[in-house]
Amino acid sequence: VDECEEKLACQCPECKCKDTWGSYECSCGSGLLYMQEHDTCISKDVRSEASWGFVWMVILGLAATGVAGYAFYKYRIRV
């Protein structure tokens, strides 16, 4: 049985199917990685720009909280 010809395997749009003796092999082109359990191709390049933005937001939030706490302590600002 040729699973590639019958479209039984490697059904994602970026997938390339290669028929082997008694089985098949799936792969992806142009820098993509094939995930067999999900039958999909994902990018090998990981970009973590959003996560670094979140880290900086947390750091700046903690710094602002510290400055506000110091101002309340130093000047005894009453709310």
Side-chain angles (χ1 to χ4, degrees):
V1 176
D2 186 354
E3 293 89 353
C4 297
E5 187 176 313
E6 294 181 8
K7 305 286 185 200
L8 299 174
C10 309
Q11 296 180 357
C12 65
E14 301 90 6
C15 295
K16 297 175 185 176
C17 187
K18 178 183 174 188
D19 189 42
T20 60
W21 182 260
S23 188
Y24 61 91
E25 292 178 2
C26 297
S27 63
C28 301
S30 64
L32 297 174
L33 180 65
Y34 180 71
M35 292 183 61
Q36 184 176 4
E37 54 273 353
H38 298 291
D39 192 35
T40 189
C41 294
I42 60 170
S43 176
K44 289 181 184 179
D45 299 328
V46 177
R47 297 214 162 93
S48 60
E49 295 168 2
S51 62
W52 277 111
F54 178 73
V55 169
W56 281 112
M57 190 173 12
V58 169
I59 290 171
L60 291 175
L62 290 172
T65 304
V67 168
Y70 178 75
F72 279 113
Y73 168 76
K74 180 74 174 170
Y75 300 108
R76 292 175 178 71
I77 299 174
R78 298 186 189 240
V79 180

